[in-house]
Amino acid sequence: YALVAVGVSIVFSIMRVIQFAHGHGYMLGAYGVYHLTVTVGVNYFAALIVTALAIGVVGIVIDRIFLRPLRGQDLPSMIVTLGLLLLIEGTALLGFGERDKRFQSPLDDVVWLFDAVVIPEERILILVVAVPLIIFLFLFVWRTKHGQAMRAVAQDAEAALLQGINIHRISGLGMFIGSALAAAAAGLVLPIQV
């Protein structure tokens, strides 16, 4: 769940918008991984990557179509994200139905520690993927030019604009990262939620 929280923090710090539909990116990520693995027959790990990238692109589209025209207007932006929440929820209900879905975990073994503690492999997978993602994100934000631009926009968007930083591109990047992290978190948690 730290991946979802980091994604929300990135979106809010850069765009100064409370993105109410962010949790629905999580939901779409779970459905995306489920659909690709169960219906299409794609490998779980490939489905996880494809879904995270696809939901990241959805985040860019949401930014460009719905949030960019309202940049700097707090209340209208929040109302639009509430509307997006309802739109995504209704569309998912129509597309996926209201019945529970069954997902077969790709990992079904356990790891014993000291012959006393049992840890399912799914939980180990979450740590093995989530921790490096958070470390990579930290390094990206602190060591790359785009990451520094994200920090500059988060600190003072007007000053960043005066320094030649394309605020629209950086906010799109923030939406991509935040949405992709939410989808990745959903795909990782999906095997243990069944």
Side-chain angles (χ1 to χ4, degrees), residues 24 48 74-75 97-98 148 168 182:
H24 284 59
L48 186 64
D74 295 340
L75 186 60
E98 71 278 353
Q148 291 173 351
H168 297 307

Side-chain angles (χ1 to χ4, degrees), residues 110-188:
V110 295
V111 174
W112 286 85
L113 293 178
F114 310 112
D115 292 329
V117 178
V118 178
I119 303 174
E121 284 183 339
E122 293 98 348
R123 304 228 182 234
I124 294 172
L125 175 68
I126 291 171
L127 285 174
V128 167
V129 174
V131 170
L133 274 176
I134 291 173
I135 291 170
F136 176 74
L137 180 64
F138 177 79
L139 292 173
F140 174 79
V141 168
W142 285 95
R143 302 287 178 163
T144 67
K145 192 171 187 171
H146 284 88
Q148 291 173 351
M150 289 171 65
R151 288 189 1 246
V153 171
Q155 289 176 4
D156 189 345
E158 189 175 333
L161 181 65
L162 291 172
Q163 293 297 317
I165 295 173
N166 186 337
I167 294 176
H168 297 307
R169 182 176 293 146
I170 295 302
S171 65
L173 177 63
M175 281 292 286
F176 175 83
I177 291 171
S179 300
L181 288 176
L188 289 170

Side-chain angles (χ1 to χ4, degrees), residues 5 7 12 14 17 23 30 34 36 43 49 61 78 85 101 108 118-119 135 140 149-150 155 164 166 175 187:
F12 179 74
I14 292 173
V17 171
Y34 170 83
L36 287 175
N43 177 294
I49 293 168
V61 170
M78 288 190 337
L85 178 144
K101 309 286 187 224
D108 56 0
V118 178
I119 303 174
I135 291 170
F140 174 79
M150 289 171 65
Q155 289 176 4
N166 186 337
M175 281 292 286

Side-chain angles (χ1 to χ4, degrees), residues 62-76:
I62 288 172
D63 176 54
R64 284 204 177 155
I65 294 174
F66 298 105
L67 298 177
R68 184 182 291 182
L70 301 173
R71 193 150 344 272
Q73 302 175 30
D74 295 340
L75 186 60

Side-chain angles (χ1 to χ4, degrees), residues 20-44:
F20 288 111
H22 189 78
H24 284 59
Y26 179 86
M27 173 197 63
L28 291 175
Y31 274 122
V33 171
Y34 170 83
H35 177 70
L36 287 175
T37 55
V38 174
T39 308
V40 180
V42 175
N43 177 294
Y44 169 75

Side-chain angles (χ1 to χ4, degrees), residues 24 27-28 31 85-101:
H24 284 59
M27 173 197 63
L28 291 175
Y31 274 122
L85 178 144
L86 296 173
L87 176 70
I88 293 169
E89 190 173 296
T91 304
L93 184 61
L94 289 173
F96 301 116
E98 71 278 353
R99 296 188 185 266
D100 289 342
K101 309 286 187 224

